[in-house]
Amino acid sequence: MGKRLCIPKYRLGRIMGWLQIILGGLVIIISIASLYKFYKAGFFLHNEEICQHFYGVNDAYEVFDVRALSDRIGEVLDKMEKLQEKLEQTDVLDKTNITKLEYKKFLEQEVIKPLHTANLALRQIRLPRIVNATIEEDPLINTFIVEEIRKYITPKETRNAKINIYGMEKVYNTIGHACVSMKKEFEEYMEYDIGSYCKDDWNLAQKLMLSGCDPLPRRRCLARASKLYQKPYPINESLWRLPDDRNVRWSNYQCRNFKCLAGKNPKRGFSKCTGCFEIENEKLKWVTNSSLPAVFLIKDVLAIKPGEIRIGLDIGVGTGTFAARMREMNVTIISTALNLGAPFNEMIALRGLVPLYWTLNQRLPFFDNTMDLIHTTGFMDGWIDLLLMDFILFDWDRVLRPGGLLWIDRFFCKRNDLDDYMYMFLQFRYKKHKWVISPKSKDEVYFSALLEKSPRAV
């Protein structure tokens, strides 16, 4: 055992005293620098023109978030104040057995790093530029401190100062407004080393999406993938075969292979889509007769519009079985999916189908009147708020073409709520091809329908 190096108390006290003096000076410098930046921006001018714009006569400051600016200044000063309080509490270091290594670690973690963060936060504060009484700044820029977020949301001007292909002078990258209310999680998501591997944080990304922070920004890090990735099975095999376990990263799941997901294990990590990894049972869906009147067969649905159903969208929780069956009928179906406890997106893709990583609170990324078919099952049922459902259905109506089919597949709800949901579906005045209500339990009912969107006068 080597001899431990100790720092005398008087020397430690002197060092702490100098640190407090230096920190106090930095607080003063930061305060003066902040006031100077305000002065340079024109906030302390009292001529009539500046005051009119500041107090909103012409709404010139609508695009600049003054509150975010104030919060950022306050955040910097708060960091400095906490750091000073920490240094004043010398009890932590007032021991004779502290080593040089421990003292160095203390300075790095508790002094230098917070000081650097506060300095960085101050340098990144952007004040509005007053040019011809016009504010040229963006409202969210002072809300975030992580540089990747700030770079992402800053409008990108065209390199040749001309109108771009979209007819605009700048390109504006989008983030959901809910990202502001989830600032801590959002900054954690966007804090990474450029060009390195992304963190194993898809769970965090999905949490942000489900909370309304969507669409998420692009990132300049490399997506992680399985080191043992194998060549996918040929399409004639992949549709009805469990994929190779080595093609999925299992770190965030309770199950560690597809056999576990396909088994009867009640602790698989997901509750929806029971049995959807059991391929032999999945083969029976939508192709074999069922005792349940609310179950429609694919051949009967396609017979209503022979040759007209070519592309569509499946909205639900599953492994792509509906899309697999429709592919055998030469119909291309995009399957929406979230990884709710299992690798649903990976499973759909490995079957040779198209997964769309999408949430109910997101606008569908398709243009108006483009889909021949929208099919929904197992996801949107009686738990959904009526107002939210109204927004969703209007978006479905937007992308469904005239003559296209809306297939409501075993929607279920409480009997007492049935009339409310029926109004939601009936408000669009679609033509009814199939309409079935059947009991699910004592208090719940199934509802299935096949509805055709009618042409509309322009």
Side-chain angles (χ1 to χ4, degrees):
M1 296 295 292
K3 186 178 179 180
R4 302 186 70 181
L5 297 174
C6 301
I7 301 175
K9 286 187 177 182
Y10 73 89
R11 182 177 299 177
L12 180 61
R14 182 180 299 175
I15 292 173
M16 297 303 294
W18 276 108
L19 282 175
Q20 291 179 31
I21 293 173
I22 293 172
L23 186 59
L26 286 173
V27 171
I28 295 173
I29 293 172
I30 288 175
S31 301
I32 294 173
S34 302
L35 292 172
Y36 178 72
K37 294 186 81 173
F38 273 103
Y39 173 77
K40 290 291 287 184
F43 275 81
F44 297 143
L45 298 178
H46 295 288
N47 62 67
E48 184 179 352
E49 183 180 358
I50 293 296
C51 289
Q52 284 181 348
H53 283 292
F54 184 77
Y55 290 110
V57 175
N58 293 320
D59 295 325
Y61 280 79
E62 279 187 355
V63 295
F64 181 73
D65 195 338
V66 178
R67 176 173 293 182
L69 172 64
S70 175
D71 290 344
R72 176 61 64 239
I73 296 288
E75 183 177 334
V76 174
L77 295 177
D78 185 58
K79 287 178 183 292
M80 302 300 291
E81 185 177 347
K82 287 181 179 179
L83 181 55
Q84 184 171 356
E85 290 176 357
K86 188 176 295 184
L87 290 174
E88 289 174 350
Q89 295 173 358
T90 57
D91 295 343
V92 178
L93 296 176
D94 193 13
K95 298 178 181 179
T96 57
N97 60 349
I98 186 171
T99 65
K100 284 186 177 180
L101 182 61
E102 291 171 336
Y103 185 62
K104 180 181 178 182
K105 185 177 180 181
F106 168 78
L107 288 178
E108 289 178 350
Q109 297 296 323
E110 304 297 333
V111 180
I112 298 175
K113 188 175 180 180
L115 193 61
H116 173 71
T117 302
N119 177 54
L120 183 64
L122 178 67
R123 292 174 58 190
Q124 289 181 337
I125 293 172
R126 296 189 187 179
L127 293 172
R129 298 184 299 274
I130 302 176
V131 182
N132 297 326
T134 301
I135 305 304
E136 296 183 357
E137 192 51 87
D138 297 280
L140 292 178
I141 198 68
N142 281 307
T143 302
F144 301 104
I145 188 173
V146 173
E147 186 64 17
E148 276 296 277
I149 301 177
R150 299 166 67 87
K151 287 179 179 177
Y152 183 82
I153 65 178
T154 300
K156 313 301 185 298
E157 297 183 0
T158 54
R159 292 174 64 90
N160 55 8
K162 295 181 179 179
I163 301 297
N164 60 30
I165 192 174
Y166 301 111
M168 301 173 64
E169 296 178 348
K170 300 178 181 179
V171 174
Y172 293 84
N173 288 321
T174 58
I175 60 170
H177 72 279
C179 295
V180 177
S181 63
M182 301 185 69
K183 180 174 177 289
K184 179 181 178 182
E185 293 84 355
F186 186 47
E187 290 189 335
E188 179 184 348
Y189 174 72
M190 285 298 287
E191 198 161 22
Y192 54 86
D193 294 327
I194 297 173
S196 66
Y197 285 104
C198 302
K199 300 173 187 174
D200 190 8
D201 58 359
W202 70 261
N203 265 331
L204 174 62
Q206 187 163 275
K207 177 183 177 182
L208 288 166
M209 291 171 60
L210 292 170
S211 300
C213 182
D214 188 58
L216 290 171
R218 297 186 179 99
R219 298 201 295 184
R220 296 186 291 172
C221 56
L222 303 173
R224 295 178 180 271
S226 172
K227 295 180 180 180
L228 306 173
Y229 200 93
Q230 302 297 302
K231 182 173 66 175
Y233 300 132
I235 188 62
N236 59 336
E237 297 180 31
S238 64
L239 285 181
W240 304 108
R241 180 176 176 180
L242 282 176
D244 193 310
D245 293 331
R246 292 171 293 182
N247 289 354
V248 174
R249 298 181 63 248
W250 298 92
S251 58
N252 287 301
Y253 304 115
Q254 292 186 25
C255 279
R256 292 293 189 266
N257 53 62
F258 285 110
K259 184 177 180 181
C260 171
L261 293 174
K264 304 298 182 181
N265 177 13
K267 298 181 179 180
R268 289 175 295 190
F270 64 96
S271 57
K272 287 278 189 180
C273 191
T274 303
C276 61
F277 286 91
E278 299 169 16
I279 295 297
E280 291 303 315
N281 292 336
E282 289 286 286
K283 284 183 177 180
L284 305 177
K285 291 183 176 180
W286 299 291
V287 294
T288 57
N289 290 320
S290 170
S291 58
L292 190 65
V295 175
F296 302 157
L297 302 184
I298 287 177
K299 64 180 182 65
D300 296 333
V301 172
L302 296 181
I304 293 174
K305 308 280 284 188
E308 292 187 33
I309 306 302
R310 306 150 302 150
I311 57 173
L313 180 66
D314 180 29
I315 298 173
V317 176
T319 53
T321 296
F322 180 79
R325 279 300 179 202
M326 294 295 274
R327 180 169 186 147
E328 293 175 335
M329 303 289 185
N330 294 320
V331 178
T332 300
I333 296 292
I334 298 172
S335 304
T336 65
L338 289 172
N339 283 17
L340 299 174
F344 290 103
N345 279 273
E346 294 95 319
M347 175 71 175
I348 293 170
L350 289 168
R351 293 179 74 176
L353 306 168
V354 183
L356 179 64
Y357 197 48
W358 178 85
T359 64
L360 279 178
N361 51 1
Q362 180 184 353
R363 185 179 189 267
L364 286 169
F366 306 114
F367 194 66
D368 304 355
N369 305 305
T370 52
M371 292 289 115
D372 298 324
L373 172 72
I374 294 180
H375 171 263
T376 178
T377 185
F379 189 47
M380 195 184 75
D381 46 51
W383 66 267
I384 196 166
D385 175 78
L386 291 174
L387 183 57
L388 173 60
M389 184 173 180
D390 209 28
F391 278 106
I392 292 169
L393 291 178
F394 270 93
D395 199 37
W396 293 2
D397 174 78
R398 177 185 63 81
V399 302
L400 190 65
R401 67 165 175 82
L405 298 178
L406 175 60
W407 182 350
I408 308 298
D409 193 350
R410 284 164 291 171
F411 175 90
F412 67 89
C413 64
K414 294 181 178 179
R415 291 179 183 272
N416 296 337
D417 296 334
L418 183 59
D419 288 343
D420 292 331
Y421 286 112
M422 289 301 97
Y423 169 78
M424 292 291 167
F425 294 115
L426 291 171
Q427 65 179 316
F428 298 99
R429 302 183 183 277
Y430 285 3
K431 178 181 177 181
K432 297 179 184 177
H433 288 287
K434 291 178 178 290
W435 185 278
V436 175
I437 298 174
S438 64
K440 180 179 184 293
S441 64
K442 180 181 178 181
D443 299 318
E444 293 181 315
V445 293
Y446 278 121
F447 165 67
S448 292
L450 192 64
L451 310 172
E452 179 180 339
K453 180 179 175 179
S454 304
R456 292 176 184 149
V458 178

